[in-house]
Amino acid sequence: MTKVMVYSTSTCPWCTRVRDYLNSKNIAFEHIDVSSDREKAEEMVRKSGQQGVPVLDIDGEIIVGFDQAKIDKLLGL
Amino acid sequence: MILNLDKNKKTVSDNYDAVIIGGGPAGLTAAIYLGRARIKTLVIEEMIPGGQAATTVRLENYPGFPEGIGGAELGSLMEKQAKNFGADIIYDNVIDVDFKNEEKIIKLNKREIRSKIVIIASGAKPRKMHVPGAEEFEGKGISYCATCDGPLFRDKNIAIIGGGNSAIEEAIFLLRFVKSIIIVQDLPKLTAEKILEERLIKHKNVKLTFNNKILSINGEKEIKSISVEKTNSKKKMDIPAEGIFIYIGYIPNTDYLKGHIELDKFNYVKTNENLETNIKGVFAAGDVCKKTLRQVATAVGDGAIAAFMATKYLENEGG
Ligand SMILES: Cc1cc2nc3c(=O)[nH]c(=O)nc-3n(C[C@H](O)[C@H](O)[C@H](O)COP(=O)(O)OP(=O)(O)OC[C@H]3O[C@@H](n4cnc5c(N)ncnc54)[C@H](O)[C@@H]3O)c2cc1C
């Protein structure tokens, strides 16, 4: 099964949008709140080279921001 | 925040009496008024309800909330209120419009919606900085949204570029996370509300510097400094910073309207005092309009006026 991880902060609107979108498509994902977890925050920066949220990890493929076309493609939606 | 997980499951029809582009404070207020007038209304929003207001942690100057209210919370309350009165809301992106005929066409990624009237309430977004380094470091140490990315700058020495309300509000928020802040302003003083300034300068780890023209943002893998030229003495200097938040104003979300409606030279929608545009049956409200003060309180007022005028128009003409 495809493993989906969403790195986000609790107050970021585009993070909410990503999570809402995945929920609406019934995609299970691991939600990682990088505002409270410093190690995970570093992991995210390492993986994506980005200091911004949201970041998605879909089976090791990294998507920065809410990029619906790319999400759809990787998840076959 | 209250999340409506069924957001995208909603089936919407392709014909409406009113379509509102943008679900920020202006658009959602218009939806409340149109819903109460029993007009078949659709709001199209690409992000989340509340728009720019949802990108700030707390609003303190919107009446009715003496302790302040969370921006995202206010957005979802407005959304709920609009839905209570029957408005449909979908989450999608308007990419083009056709206003040539009496029936207006609104084009989304995968479908088209037809409507008798349209209220443009697509607001504004942060103005990007265009100096060497600014693009390269965007998302890699430069952010335009403190609410989103603030926690990733824990214990860093950061700079904020700008000196208006947003810059100072967000600086105060960022003080929860960062080690120190330097406010880099181009003018000789801050333009933010006095109450915000007072609150900011109480903090010992805040410095202010004025009369700076930004020349470049420097670093290799990470940001190291900002090069500036003093606008008064023409001296050049470097301001050290490990992260930068930029609040240098806004630009309207009107790309999809170009060639379809009259815009001013900064691309804001031109309206008369009744918020009518140059196209019959198309109204505009909130930050997207040419106006003097862009706040939630004024966006909400615009939303009510635009909806009222749209209702009258439907009664008289479109019927
Ligand atoms: C950091 C920050 C702090 C602020 N603090 C305050 C404050 O303390 N008090 C205050 O009163 N005001 C504050 N403001 C200003 C306030 O948020 C705005 O004036 C207000 O949100 C404007 O409302 P609006 O509905 O006109 O536009 P917006 O809030 O910009 O909403 C427009 C909506 O349209 C959507 N949209 C845009 N283009 C499209 C498209 N093509 N298709 C579909 N949807 C689209 C956007 O996603 C957005 O949700 C702040 C703004 C910022 C950025």
Side-chain angles (χ1 to χ4, degrees):
Chain A
M1 218 186 99
T2 320
K3 187 167 180 222
V4 183
M5 288 191 268
V6 178
Y7 295 87
S8 59
T9 60
S10 43
T11 46
C12 139
W14 283 109
C15 305
T16 307
R17 182 78 174 90
V18 167
R19 296 194 301 264
D20 279 3
Y21 184 69
L22 294 175
N23 281 326
S24 77
K25 301 282 177 194
N26 289 321
I27 305 285
F29 60 89
E30 189 185 342
H31 174 212
I32 301 160
D33 183 351
V34 292
S35 40
S36 52
D37 190 332
R38 197 182 285 229
E39 264 173 39
K40 291 287 180 189
E42 280 164 18
E43 178 184 290
M44 180 196 88
V45 174
R46 210 169 42 243
K47 275 187 185 174
S48 67
Q50 291 279 319
Q51 201 130 31
V53 282
V55 169
L56 277 85
D57 178 336
I58 301 178
D59 275 345
E61 292 262 4
I62 304 296
I63 303 178
V64 176
F66 177 67
D67 183 341
Q68 191 181 328
K70 207 160 167 197
I71 295 172
D72 286 357
K73 197 168 153 233
L74 288 179
L75 293 173
L77 294 172
Chain B
M1 194 192 317
I2 308 153
L3 296 183
N4 177 359
L5 304 179
D6 286 325
K7 269 174 188 170
N8 291 295
K9 281 190 192 148
K10 173 123 199 158
T11 43
V12 292
S13 66
D14 294 331
N15 285 284
Y16 280 84
D17 292 332
V19 163
I20 301 169
I21 305 174
L28 292 173
T29 304
I32 291 168
Y33 277 75
L34 291 171
R36 290 174 64 82
R38 295 287 183 245
I39 288 165
K40 193 179 175 213
T41 302
L42 174 70
V43 179
I44 306 165
E45 165 58 50
E46 66 174 352
M47 188 177 65
I48 62 163
Q52 289 173 84
T55 68
T56 189
V57 168
R58 235 173 162 67
L59 297 149
E60 294 189 342
N61 55 2
Y62 185 62
F65 301 95
E67 312 299 328
I69 176 145
E73 188 188 354
L74 182 65
S76 54
L77 288 171
M78 287 179 175
E79 179 194 34
K80 194 166 167 217
Q81 201 168 349
K83 280 187 176 163
N84 284 349
F85 294 121
D88 288 343
I89 301 184
I90 54 165
Y91 289 82
D92 208 329
N93 182 8
V94 175
I95 52 176
D96 198 6
V97 293
D98 183 346
F99 293 158
K100 279 196 285 290
N101 302 312
E102 207 175 300
E103 186 179 61
K104 318 287 181 244
I105 303 171
I106 299 99
K107 298 178 187 170
L108 310 180
N109 283 314
K110 288 179 187 155
R111 62 195 289 196
E112 291 184 359
I113 311 256
R114 284 154 198 277
S115 180
K116 291 177 186 158
I117 70 110
V118 173
I119 297 180
I120 297 165
S122 46
K125 58 175 176 246
R127 175 185 296 283
K128 297 271 167 101
M129 179 131 202
H130 298 290
V131 296
E135 220 171 287
E136 292 90 310
F137 285 113
E138 188 175 336
K140 300 185 172 72
I142 292 181
S143 171
Y144 292 87
C145 180
T147 315
C148 311
D149 304 328
L152 300 168
F153 289 77
R154 225 175 270 277
D155 302 325
K156 299 223 162 158
N157 298 301
I158 64 155
I160 291 182
I161 300 181
N165 276 342
S166 300
I168 306 309
E169 269 170 18
E170 302 308 305
I172 294 167
F173 166 70
L174 285 166
L175 281 165
R176 298 183 197 182
F177 310 107
V178 302
K179 197 194 269 174
S180 74
I181 294 181
I182 180 160
I183 307 280
V184 184
Q185 163 74 319
D186 56 348
L187 303 172
K189 62 182 177 80
L190 298 179
T191 54
E193 293 170 338
K194 279 282 173 281
I195 187 170
L196 292 173
E197 181 173 344
E198 285 164 19
R199 222 182 276 165
L200 177 77
I201 57 180
K202 271 196 209 136
H203 293 268
K204 290 202 180 69
N205 50 347
V206 171
K207 275 195 269 175
L208 294 96
T209 165
F210 299 103
N211 302 310
N212 297 291
K213 181 179 168 209
I214 312 287
L215 300 177
S216 64
I217 290 165
N218 322 308
E220 276 155 35
K221 268 183 83 183
E222 287 165 3
I223 294 179
K224 295 255 159 55
S225 68
I226 306 169
S227 296
V228 300
E229 180 184 84
K230 288 291 175 188
T231 51
N232 39 8
S233 65
K234 303 285 172 219
K235 257 192 220 151
K236 293 195 172 122
M237 54 184 281
D238 280 355
I239 300 168
E242 298 169 296
I244 302 174
F245 285 83
I246 301 180
Y247 290 98
I248 52 169
Y250 298 91
I251 54 167
N253 294 319
T254 50
D255 282 352
Y256 68 97
L257 292 171
K258 281 185 187 152
H260 301 292
I261 203 164
E262 202 182 338
L263 305 174
D264 78 353
K265 66 173 177 201
F266 303 109
N267 292 323
Y268 287 98
V269 178
K270 276 196 189 174
T271 68
N272 62 17
E273 73 271 21
N274 288 330
L275 304 183
E276 292 160 320
T277 67
N278 66 316
I279 309 278
K280 263 186 179 297
V282 179
F283 305 80
D287 277 19
V288 78
C289 299
K290 182 175 192 239
K291 65 196 284 194
T292 36
L293 180 64
R294 294 192 175 87
Q295 288 277 283
V296 177
T298 59
V300 160
D302 280 3
I305 295 170
F308 177 77
M309 293 311 296
T311 306
K312 269 182 120 169
Y313 175 87
L314 285 172
E315 282 167 6
N316 296 336
E317 316 212 7

